Amino acid sequence: MAGNTTNPALEPDTDSPIGPGLEFAQFAAGCFWGVELAFQRVEGVVKTEVGYSQGHVPDPTYKLRGDVGTQYRSGIYYYNQEQARLAQETMEAKQKELKDKTIVTEILPAKRFYTAEEYHQQYLEKGGGQGSKQSAAKGCNDPIRCYG
């Protein structure tokens, strides 16, 4: 009997938002702790969760990832065509501002999202590895210190 030949990590993400009028978004931008804290501070963001997506390994863990390579690329991963259009338009406008520098952020459909281990969630807000809590208050613009 043949086994399942599909890789769940390559499938579209099928999660649903937690309430009406809300949307999911997936972003990649290097160290997920700092990116999460930045989004926690944005008005209108009701929940953040760090994890893994756009890879080829089902149920990845932090130890599988390492600290170098394509897992640190920047990306916007959309759930619908309106998100794709807005991401593309925003990137094109920013590219015009930058002129001679090239934006390398990828814009692709969201693949399955795997939530990272619990200790990674809201890591910098909880104090990170050094016990120095950082504010996740909406509108806060304190510098973000990303550390392990």
Side-chain angles (χ1 to χ4, degrees), residues 97-116:
E97 290 176 28
L98 296 175
K99 297 180 178 142
D100 60 346
K101 296 180 181 176
T102 302
I103 295 175
V104 295
T105 300
E106 62 185 15
I107 300 173
L108 298 169
K111 290 183 186 174
R112 184 161 175 195
F113 181 81
Y114 295 92
T115 303

PDB file of all heavy atoms in Angstrom, residues 97-116:
ATOM      1  N   GLU A  97      11.199  54.624  -3.535  1.00  0.00           N
ATOM      2  CA  GLU A  97      11.887  55.477  -2.559  1.00  0.00           C
ATOM      3  C   GLU A  97      13.368  55.115  -2.446  1.00  0.00           C
ATOM      4  O   GLU A  97      14.206  55.983  -2.278  1.00  0.00           O
ATOM      5  CB  GLU A  97      11.260  55.337  -1.172  1.00  0.00           C
ATOM      6  CG  GLU A  97       9.891  55.925  -1.012  1.00  0.00           C
ATOM      7  CD  GLU A  97       9.338  55.645   0.376  1.00  0.00           C
ATOM      8  OE1 GLU A  97      10.127  55.500   1.339  1.00  0.00           O
ATOM      9  OE2 GLU A  97       8.104  55.573   0.503  1.00  0.00           O
ATOM     10  N   LEU A  98      13.670  53.833  -2.528  1.00  0.00           N
ATOM     11  CA  LEU A  98      15.039  53.361  -2.311  1.00  0.00           C
ATOM     12  C   LEU A  98      15.923  53.502  -3.541  1.00  0.00           C
ATOM     13  O   LEU A  98      17.146  53.384  -3.436  1.00  0.00           O
ATOM     14  CB  LEU A  98      15.021  51.903  -1.842  1.00  0.00           C
ATOM     15  CG  LEU A  98      14.362  51.672  -0.493  1.00  0.00           C
ATOM     16  CD1 LEU A  98      14.296  50.183  -0.191  1.00  0.00           C
ATOM     17  CD2 LEU A  98      15.104  52.402   0.612  1.00  0.00           C
ATOM     18  N   LYS A  99      15.314  53.682  -4.690  1.00  0.00           N
ATOM     19  CA  LYS A  99      16.021  53.892  -5.966  1.00  0.00           C
ATOM     20  C   LYS A  99      17.055  52.827  -6.292  1.00  0.00           C
ATOM     21  O   LYS A  99      16.741  51.837  -6.919  1.00  0.00           O
ATOM     22  CB  LYS A  99      16.634  55.285  -6.004  1.00  0.00           C
ATOM     23  CG  LYS A  99      15.583  56.359  -5.946  1.00  0.00           C
ATOM     24  CD  LYS A  99      16.168  57.726  -5.990  1.00  0.00           C
ATOM     25  CE  LYS A  99      15.013  58.703  -5.967  1.00  0.00           C
ATOM     26  NZ  LYS A  99      15.127  59.839  -5.266  1.00  0.00           N
ATOM     27  N   ASP A 100      18.315  53.000  -5.863  1.00  0.00           N
ATOM     28  CA  ASP A 100      19.391  52.097  -6.298  1.00  0.00           C
ATOM     29  C   ASP A 100      19.580  50.868  -5.412  1.00  0.00           C
ATOM     30  O   ASP A 100      20.453  50.051  -5.667  1.00  0.00           O
ATOM     31  CB  ASP A 100      20.714  52.861  -6.426  1.00  0.00           C
ATOM     32  CG  ASP A 100      21.153  53.499  -5.116  1.00  0.00           C
ATOM     33  OD1 ASP A 100      20.329  53.590  -4.185  1.00  0.00           O
ATOM     34  OD2 ASP A 100      22.327  53.909  -5.027  1.00  0.00           O
ATOM     35  N   LYS A 101      18.784  50.728  -4.368  1.00  0.00           N
ATOM     36  CA  LYS A 101      18.850  49.528  -3.525  1.00  0.00           C
ATOM     37  C   LYS A 101      17.672  48.627  -3.890  1.00  0.00           C
ATOM     38  O   LYS A 101      16.568  49.102  -4.118  1.00  0.00           O
ATOM     39  CB  LYS A 101      18.794  49.902  -2.049  1.00  0.00           C
ATOM     40  CG  LYS A 101      19.984  50.715  -1.611  1.00  0.00           C
ATOM     41  CD  LYS A 101      19.884  51.065  -0.152  1.00  0.00           C
ATOM     42  CE  LYS A 101      21.083  51.906   0.258  1.00  0.00           C
ATOM     43  NZ  LYS A 101      20.985  52.342   1.643  1.00  0.00           N
ATOM     44  N   THR A 102      17.912  47.326  -3.926  1.00  0.00           N
ATOM     45  CA  THR A 102      16.884  46.383  -4.346  1.00  0.00           C
ATOM     46  C   THR A 102      16.260  45.682  -3.139  1.00  0.00           C
ATOM     47  O   THR A 102      16.972  45.115  -2.309  1.00  0.00           O
ATOM     48  CB  THR A 102      17.480  45.318  -5.288  1.00  0.00           C
ATOM     49  OG1 THR A 102      18.059  45.989  -6.404  1.00  0.00           O
ATOM     50  CG2 THR A 102      16.415  44.360  -5.773  1.00  0.00           C
ATOM     51  N   ILE A 103      14.949  45.732  -3.057  1.00  0.00           N
ATOM     52  CA  ILE A 103      14.220  44.993  -2.023  1.00  0.00           C
ATOM     53  C   ILE A 103      14.174  43.533  -2.448  1.00  0.00           C
ATOM     54  O   ILE A 103      13.822  43.219  -3.590  1.00  0.00           O
ATOM     55  CB  ILE A 103      12.800  45.545  -1.841  1.00  0.00           C
ATOM     56  CG1 ILE A 103      12.869  46.981  -1.309  1.00  0.00           C
ATOM     57  CG2 ILE A 103      11.989  44.648  -0.907  1.00  0.00           C
ATOM     58  CD1 ILE A 103      11.524  47.658  -1.207  1.00  0.00           C
ATOM     59  N   VAL A 104      14.522  42.632  -1.542  1.00  0.00           N
ATOM     60  CA  VAL A 104      14.544  41.202  -1.870  1.00  0.00           C
ATOM     61  C   VAL A 104      13.473  40.415  -1.108  1.00  0.00           C
ATOM     62  O   VAL A 104      13.499  39.198  -1.078  1.00  0.00           O
ATOM     63  CB  VAL A 104      15.945  40.591  -1.607  1.00  0.00           C
ATOM     64  CG1 VAL A 104      16.966  41.201  -2.547  1.00  0.00           C
ATOM     65  CG2 VAL A 104      16.353  40.771  -0.155  1.00  0.00           C
ATOM     66  N   THR A 105      12.529  41.105  -0.523  1.00  0.00           N
ATOM     67  CA  THR A 105      11.435  40.448   0.195  1.00  0.00           C
ATOM     68  C   THR A 105      10.584  39.660  -0.790  1.00  0.00           C
ATOM     69  O   THR A 105      10.150  40.190  -1.810  1.00  0.00           O
ATOM     70  CB  THR A 105      10.572  41.507   0.907  1.00  0.00           C
ATOM     71  OG1 THR A 105      11.399  42.220   1.833  1.00  0.00           O
ATOM     72  CG2 THR A 105       9.400  40.879   1.638  1.00  0.00           C
ATOM     73  N   GLU A 106      10.338  38.391  -0.451  1.00  0.00           N
ATOM     74  CA  GLU A 106       9.480  37.583  -1.317  1.00  0.00           C
ATOM     75  C   GLU A 106       8.018  37.769  -0.907  1.00  0.00           C
ATOM     76  O   GLU A 106       7.724  37.999   0.264  1.00  0.00           O
ATOM     77  CB  GLU A 106       9.887  36.112  -1.276  1.00  0.00           C
ATOM     78  CG  GLU A 106       9.776  35.446   0.068  1.00  0.00           C
ATOM     79  CD  GLU A 106      10.317  34.026   0.059  1.00  0.00           C
ATOM     80  OE1 GLU A 106      11.025  33.637  -0.885  1.00  0.00           O
ATOM     81  OE2 GLU A 106      10.024  33.301   1.033  1.00  0.00           O
ATOM     82  N   ILE A 107       7.130  37.696  -1.878  1.00  0.00           N
ATOM     83  CA  ILE A 107       5.684  37.772  -1.645  1.00  0.00           C
ATOM     84  C   ILE A 107       5.090  36.520  -2.262  1.00  0.00           C
ATOM     85  O   ILE A 107       5.110  36.350  -3.479  1.00  0.00           O
ATOM     86  CB  ILE A 107       5.080  39.043  -2.252  1.00  0.00           C
ATOM     87  CG1 ILE A 107       5.725  40.297  -1.630  1.00  0.00           C
ATOM     88  CG2 ILE A 107       3.564  39.054  -2.070  1.00  0.00           C
ATOM     89  CD1 ILE A 107       5.309  41.598  -2.304  1.00  0.00           C
ATOM     90  N   LEU A 108       4.594  35.632  -1.384  1.00  0.00           N
ATOM     91  CA  LEU A 108       4.110  34.315  -1.831  1.00  0.00           C
ATOM     92  C   LEU A 108       2.869  33.914  -1.031  1.00  0.00           C
ATOM     93  O   LEU A 108       2.640  34.433   0.067  1.00  0.00           O
ATOM     94  CB  LEU A 108       5.196  33.255  -1.594  1.00  0.00           C
ATOM     95  CG  LEU A 108       6.517  33.429  -2.338  1.00  0.00           C
ATOM     96  CD1 LEU A 108       7.563  32.466  -1.799  1.00  0.00           C
ATOM     97  CD2 LEU A 108       6.296  33.214  -3.825  1.00  0.00           C
ATOM     98  N   PRO A 109       2.098  32.948  -1.534  1.00  0.00           N
ATOM     99  CA  PRO A 109       0.979  32.429  -0.751  1.00  0.00           C
ATOM    100  C   PRO A 109       1.483  31.810   0.558  1.00  0.00           C
ATOM    101  O   PRO A 109       2.563  31.208   0.598  1.00  0.00           O
ATOM    102  CB  PRO A 109       0.369  31.349  -1.646  1.00  0.00           C
ATOM    103  CG  PRO A 109       0.871  31.638  -3.016  1.00  0.00           C
ATOM    104  CD  PRO A 109       2.208  32.296  -2.846  1.00  0.00           C
ATOM    105  N   ALA A 110       0.709  31.979   1.621  1.00  0.00           N
ATOM    106  CA  ALA A 110       1.079  31.415   2.925  1.00  0.00           C
ATOM    107  C   ALA A 110       0.993  29.894   2.887  1.00  0.00           C
ATOM    108  O   ALA A 110      -0.025  29.332   2.499  1.00  0.00           O
ATOM    109  CB  ALA A 110       0.165  31.959   4.019  1.00  0.00           C
ATOM    110  N   LYS A 111       2.080  29.259   3.268  1.00  0.00           N
ATOM    111  CA  LYS A 111       2.080  27.805   3.447  1.00  0.00           C
ATOM    112  C   LYS A 111       1.719  27.502   4.901  1.00  0.00           C
ATOM    113  O   LYS A 111       1.610  28.401   5.730  1.00  0.00           O
ATOM    114  CB  LYS A 111       3.455  27.229   3.134  1.00  0.00           C
ATOM    115  CG  LYS A 111       3.831  27.267   1.667  1.00  0.00           C
ATOM    116  CD  LYS A 111       5.173  26.600   1.464  1.00  0.00           C
ATOM    117  CE  LYS A 111       5.672  26.723   0.051  1.00  0.00           C
ATOM    118  NZ  LYS A 111       7.034  26.182  -0.083  1.00  0.00           N
ATOM    119  N   ARG A 112       1.608  26.240   5.194  1.00  0.00           N
ATOM    120  CA  ARG A 112       1.234  25.817   6.546  1.00  0.00           C
ATOM    121  C   ARG A 112       2.137  26.453   7.598  1.00  0.00           C
ATOM    122  O   ARG A 112       3.352  26.494   7.440  1.00  0.00           O
ATOM    123  CB  ARG A 112       1.297  24.301   6.655  1.00  0.00           C
ATOM    124  CG  ARG A 112       0.816  23.818   7.999  1.00  0.00           C
ATOM    125  CD  ARG A 112       0.438  22.390   7.977  1.00  0.00           C
ATOM    126  NE  ARG A 112       0.093  21.963   9.323  1.00  0.00           N
ATOM    127  CZ  ARG A 112      -0.010  20.720   9.681  1.00  0.00           C
ATOM    128  NH1 ARG A 112       0.189  19.764   8.795  1.00  0.00           N
ATOM    129  NH2 ARG A 112      -0.325  20.402  10.907  1.00  0.00           N
ATOM    130  N   PHE A 113       1.516  26.957   8.653  1.00  0.00           N
ATOM    131  CA  PHE A 113       2.226  27.604   9.754  1.00  0.00           C
ATOM    132  C   PHE A 113       2.315  26.634  10.922  1.00  0.00           C
ATOM    133  O   PHE A 113       1.316  26.039  11.321  1.00  0.00           O
ATOM    134  CB  PHE A 113       1.480  28.870  10.191  1.00  0.00           C
ATOM    135  CG  PHE A 113       2.144  29.605  11.308  1.00  0.00           C
ATOM    136  CD1 PHE A 113       3.199  30.459  11.068  1.00  0.00           C
ATOM    137  CD2 PHE A 113       1.712  29.434  12.621  1.00  0.00           C
ATOM    138  CE1 PHE A 113       3.819  31.143  12.102  1.00  0.00           C
ATOM    139  CE2 PHE A 113       2.321  30.102  13.656  1.00  0.00           C
ATOM    140  CZ  PHE A 113       3.381  30.960  13.393  1.00  0.00           C
ATOM    141  N   TYR A 114       3.522  26.490  11.448  1.00  0.00           N
ATOM    142  CA  TYR A 114       3.758  25.642  12.618  1.00  0.00           C
ATOM    143  C   TYR A 114       4.157  26.551  13.776  1.00  0.00           C
ATOM    144  O   TYR A 114       5.174  27.240  13.704  1.00  0.00           O
ATOM    145  CB  TYR A 114       4.884  24.643  12.345  1.00  0.00           C
ATOM    146  CG  TYR A 114       4.553  23.639  11.269  1.00  0.00           C
ATOM    147  CD1 TYR A 114       4.886  23.874   9.946  1.00  0.00           C
ATOM    148  CD2 TYR A 114       3.908  22.453  11.591  1.00  0.00           C
ATOM    149  CE1 TYR A 114       4.590  22.948   8.957  1.00  0.00           C
ATOM    150  CE2 TYR A 114       3.603  21.523  10.606  1.00  0.00           C
ATOM    151  CZ  TYR A 114       3.947  21.778   9.293  1.00  0.00           C
ATOM    152  OH  TYR A 114       3.648  20.860   8.320  1.00  0.00           O
ATOM    153  N   THR A 115       3.370  26.550  14.826  1.00  0.00           N
ATOM    154  CA  THR A 115       3.655  27.388  15.992  1.00  0.00           C
ATOM    155  C   THR A 115       4.951  26.935  16.648  1.00  0.00           C
ATOM    156  O   THR A 115       5.166  25.745  16.858  1.00  0.00           O
ATOM    157  CB  THR A 115       2.496  27.304  17.003  1.00  0.00           C
ATOM    158  OG1 THR A 115       1.292  27.687  16.346  1.00  0.00           O
ATOM    159  CG2 THR A 115       2.739  28.207  18.193  1.00  0.00           C
ATOM    160  N   ALA A 116       5.807  27.900  16.975  1.00  0.00           N
ATOM    161  CA  ALA A 116       7.065  27.590  17.663  1.00  0.00           C
ATOM    162  C   ALA A 116       6.770  27.158  19.096  1.00  0.00           C
ATOM    163  O   ALA A 116       5.674  27.363  19.630  1.00  0.00           O
ATOM    164  CB  ALA A 116       7.981  28.814  17.664  1.00  0.00           C
TER     165      ALA A 116
END
